Amino acid sequence: MSFSTLFATTSWLSALKREVALWSKTEGWRWIFVFKSALAALLAMWLSMRFQLEQPRLAMITVFIVMRPQTGMILTKSLYRIGGTMGGIAVSFLLVSLFAQEPVLFLLGLALWVGFCTAGAAFFRDFKSYGFVLAGYSCALAGLAAAPHPHAFFSLAVTRLSEVTLGILCAGVVSDTILPRRLSDQIKSNIQNRYADFMAFVRASLSGTASRTELKTMQLKLVGNVLALESIRSAAILEDSEVRSRDLKLRKLNSEFMAASTTFYSFHQILNRLTKNATPAGEALTELYASLGKTLETTGASPRSADAARISARRIAVFQTILSRKVAALKKNAPSLSDSPNTVDFETAIELLHRFLRELHAYTKSYANLPENEQESKSPDDISFAMHTDPVVALLAGGKAFVSILLVSMFWIASAWPYGASALSFVAVTSALFGSVPDQYRGVRHMVMGHGAGYVAAVLFACLIMPLLDGFMLFGAALLPFLMVGSYIITHPKWVAVGTGYVVFFCAMLSPSNPMVFNPIGIINDGSASLLGTAIAGLVFMTLVPATGVWYKRRLAGQIRRQVVIACFDPIPGLVNRFESGTYDLLHKLESTMHLADDQNERLVAWLFLVREIGRAVIHVRQDTAMMQMPHHVPGRVLESIRSTARLFSRLSARHRDDALDSVTATISAIQHEMGLESLAPHERDILRRIRTSLHLIRTALLDDETALAAAVGGLPEQTTEETG
């Protein structure tokens, strides 16, 4: 072989390797997951048949329910699935023992249990929610099968648990041994991409090159990133010891990012207010934020190593020093900044800018120190992630499940419907699943679509393909494309419910068994009953006080405004992180239904951004006030400012808005008077200055005529007006 031929071959192989690597990072992982899911399902079916288990379909369904592209998700989900299944079987044993001969009482007890589990699934998040889902429908599946034969309950329970466990083991082994995709890798990618996205958002905000809609889209993406990292972090603890050792650092990183993001939003808001009105302070700040944008151009690239992150942190620290000199020069060259209103405006913006740089510097340093194994001294309790779930909404979801079970049970008893058990089983399954999704409207629609497609596919397979097959190998080969379709749909986040519904219903209706039975009429009847059960549960969830209606939006608006009350009165230790994570959680919950009622959602998003700004300012007032012995008349004024702000957000009215403005303005005047005293120590004057800037930020937000608060109470008489969300 000549040198040129060898060189051409080497270049071709290198190019092929690059293309394969690129494909694996984009579309390749989807197809790897598709083949792994189908392989695990077929393996579970084969082992179930070899072990003479009664329902191999349950093992297959388990594979598709727990199978996820990342290993840690499977391990965590499987742990809760086993626990939920055992809990559901235990309750079904109690119901069968007490009411096997009393169908009305048995079905009433089942409805109560499924309703309770649905409420738990709606109240909790992530895998706790999944445990409640499993406990609900495992009880229905085991109880309905055992009620006609109570003497065989123990063998039925052991068989069901064996089938579920077999499916879990097959999913875990296949996922962890064949081209595993670790959650730890996804955590690294998440952190790197978020740094780049945040810097892009800051630069776009400072340069004014992005529209308000584009900026809001970028902010919502960052919010989703925070929730995604928290979800991945909690799941990866079972997968990787390295993730466990850095658990506290990951939580700290998330906390610092949320703090920096909110501070920058507050800075950008007051900057817009000052430049919109062409104030001297706004004109003076134009040069500063332009230089900040240029500095972030060099630090904005996502650091791919700890050394690169340390370099970025040093550049930010250098700019902090330069900023102090630039601020001093601006004050010297702009006498108008010495006027009292302009001074407060200017110092408020500068204080926010300094705070943002400190928090950005801390966030970048934490990212740089993430690979190190040294332990953090900060208590984990200070940076726990706060979740907000409305208990009334959770109870309502449980009530819907209870009503759905009762409706189908009444029809079953009244008509002696031969396939009533199948319909009731899927009512229990889908009710628990509907209650756990944030957007029930979309969840119901997608699940019904998936079940309908699975029903059609199962009927076609049973009637046209199954009679032509002979032996397990041909049967598995014929099943493969049908299973792959559902697995591929699952890889698209927006269509997970469709893909899961399709493949679960397909396996349930096809019902591979030992021995295989050709009964197309039975499949059609059983599938129709199950599909009817899904439709009834979906209809109840969509019509009986829907979770996307006006009532729900009003409840969510109240939760959003209550965040300010939390900022005003909750204990100070860990309050910043509790406030930030709770606000981000509410914003993420709202973002999941952004395709519905756009006007309402726009108002709620506007409320969330205003709450972030005012809530953080209140927290800083409280923190700074606790750092010194205040002059005798100042603490009372500060406390009254906080109380009046809390009253405003607890019960919206023009009068409460005016009271809050008067109280904050009076407190600012009192603090300015104290700052003029020569007897005040320098550090005390600095603390009072910070309190004044935080109060001034609250005042400018209350006076802004473009906020959600202004739209709710502006121009109204002094009477209470509730926000309708």
Side-chain angles (χ1 to χ4, degrees), residues 110-158:
L110 180 64
L112 287 170
W113 174 251
V114 173
F116 169 76
C117 291
T118 302
F123 185 78
F124 291 99
R125 299 293 180 88
D126 295 331
F127 303 108
K128 290 181 181 179
S129 172
Y130 195 75
F132 276 98
V133 171
L134 266 296
Y137 74 71
S138 294
C139 176
L141 293 175
L144 290 172
H149 314 286
H151 58 280
F153 177 84
F154 182 77
S155 61
L156 285 171
V158 171

Side-chain angles (χ1 to χ4, degrees), residues 62-113:
T62 301
V63 167
F64 287 107
I65 290 179
V66 304
M67 197 74 173
R68 287 296 176 266
Q70 298 83 18
T71 304
M73 288 289 189
I74 295 175
L75 296 177
T76 309
K77 205 172 206 182
S78 300
L79 178 66
Y80 281 93
R81 180 173 176 85
I82 292 175
T85 301
M86 294 180 68
I89 288 176
V91 174
S92 68
F93 173 73
L94 180 64
L95 292 176
V96 170
S97 301
L98 295 175
F99 307 123
Q101 304 303 319
E102 295 290 339
V104 174
L105 294 178
F106 174 82
L107 293 174
L108 181 62
L110 180 64
L112 287 170
W113 174 251

